[in-house]
Amino acid sequence: MEINFFVDGLKETLEQDKVFIMPINGTSMQPFLHTGDLVALSKPFALKKNDIVFYLRDNGQYVLHRIFKVKKNKFFLLGDHQTKIEKNIREDQILAKAIYVIINEKKVLFSDKKYRIYLFFWRFRFLRYLIIKLRKI
Amino acid sequence: MKFNTDYVIKKVGDEALLVRQSKKSVDYSKVITLNPTSLLIVEGVMNNLSIDDITEKMVAEYDVSKEKAKQDIIVTINQLKTLNIVYGD
């Protein structure tokens, strides 16, 4: 199904102040999220480091990645499976924020202890780079 | 025969889709695409029409015999029942 279909549905849903549930497609948020997992999106609010956001790149591509850093009202974004940071994303490019995910039919809240442990270790870019490289061997 | 009001029809271009929607959320993870005949059937059930009424509408809309139309409608409704989109007799 075309991504624009989901985006139209997302915009309509957020306008009604409802949560939009969408399937994940791609590898950039592994090992946390895999194709087939679901993400629940709400209006973007109080955006901060480590939030997972759905945004529109200037080239027209829609992406779901994590906020690595916020600097001078610009957002630096990075997929969990990536090492190269995407810089200077504007707030108006961010369409939605994840408020929870569904993995193997189980709801995972971002306040869950296991998630917070995962996040603690995965924020170290060098560690992530090493693991990704080792996996390719 | 009743239609599960947790589902709504969304029209996207030429396509019609059944999407699960509650007061708080809209779930696009399990979307059911409706072709024109299944859309006619779903709309018929939503409007509380009987199978015979829906059959009449289908015969009026398409070049199909009453018997074939009714058979297809029953098959479709049974499929919707397995998905809990339609329930009851």
Side-chain angles (χ1 to χ4, degrees):
Chain A
M1 203 156 273
E2 295 286 337
I3 185 65
N4 286 329
F5 159 71
F6 288 108
V7 173
D8 290 343
L10 170 69
K11 288 176 179 174
E12 187 187 323
T13 302
L14 295 187
E15 276 169 21
Q16 297 169 17
D17 286 325
K18 291 185 179 181
V19 172
F20 182 79
I21 299 172
M22 187 175 82
I24 297 293
N25 185 32
T27 61
S28 64
M29 281 299 292
Q30 287 182 9
F32 180 49
L33 294 171
H34 297 78
T35 296
D37 291 337
L38 307 176
V39 60
L41 299 169
S42 76
K43 280 182 178 172
F45 63 94
L47 296 174
K48 60 186 185 306
K49 182 180 168 181
N50 294 327
D51 283 346
I52 297 173
V53 294
F54 185 70
Y55 63 103
L56 174 63
R57 287 177 172 156
D58 285 334
N59 67 2
Q61 190 181 18
Y62 290 98
V63 184
L64 183 83
H65 279 170
R66 194 183 295 279
I67 296 176
F68 182 78
K69 184 169 72 174
V70 183
K71 188 175 176 182
K72 294 180 184 176
N73 292 327
K74 291 284 173 67
F75 296 87
F76 292 59
L77 299 166
L78 183 64
D80 283 10
H81 195 65
Q82 298 176 325
T83 53
K84 191 174 175 189
I85 297 170
E86 193 171 352
K87 298 178 182 177
N88 298 319
I89 299 297
R90 306 177 308 273
E91 192 166 0
D92 65 278
Q93 290 178 261
I94 297 176
L95 303 176
K97 169 180 159 176
I99 55 172
Y100 64 86
V101 295
I102 299 171
I103 298 172
N104 296 327
E105 298 183 356
K106 285 185 186 169
K107 193 172 178 176
V108 176
L109 300 175
F110 298 138
S111 56
D112 288 355
K113 193 175 178 182
K114 278 185 184 176
Y115 173 74
R116 294 174 77 79
I117 292 171
Y118 162 82
L119 198 61
F120 176 79
F121 287 105
W122 210 248
R123 67 182 178 169
F124 296 107
R125 262 209 306 159
F126 173 73
L127 182 63
R128 183 189 329 202
Y129 178 80
L130 197 62
I131 290 173
I132 290 170
K133 286 293 177 189
L134 285 172
R135 276 187 179 161
K136 285 183 180 173
I137 295 172
Chain B
M1 193 166 57
K2 293 224 184 263
F3 184 80
N4 184 343
T5 53
D6 283 351
Y7 288 86
V8 294
I9 294 175
K10 299 276 184 192
K11 302 261 173 88
V12 181
D14 293 334
E15 282 193 315
L17 305 140
L18 267 181
V19 176
R20 189 163 181 152
Q21 178 172 288
S22 68
K23 281 183 186 174
K24 291 185 179 177
S25 67
V26 179
D27 188 349
Y28 271 60
S29 65
K30 296 183 184 76
V31 167
I32 298 166
T33 306
L34 300 173
N35 61 28
T37 51
S38 54
L39 175 61
L40 186 149
I41 296 166
V42 168
E43 285 181 332
V45 176
M46 284 174 99
N47 293 322
N48 296 315
L49 298 182
S50 66
I51 290 177
D52 287 333
D53 291 336
I54 299 171
T55 304
E56 293 293 334
K57 284 178 85 72
M58 189 163 301
V59 169
E61 183 77 24
Y62 299 101
D63 181 20
V64 62
S65 70
K66 202 170 176 178
E67 293 73 29
K68 179 75 171 79
K70 188 167 182 176
Q71 191 181 13
D72 288 347
I73 289 163
I74 290 171
V75 167
T76 301
I77 288 175
N78 284 338
Q79 286 174 339
L80 293 171
K81 282 183 177 179
T82 64
L83 298 169
N84 295 319
I85 295 170
V86 173
Y87 58 94
D89 295 318

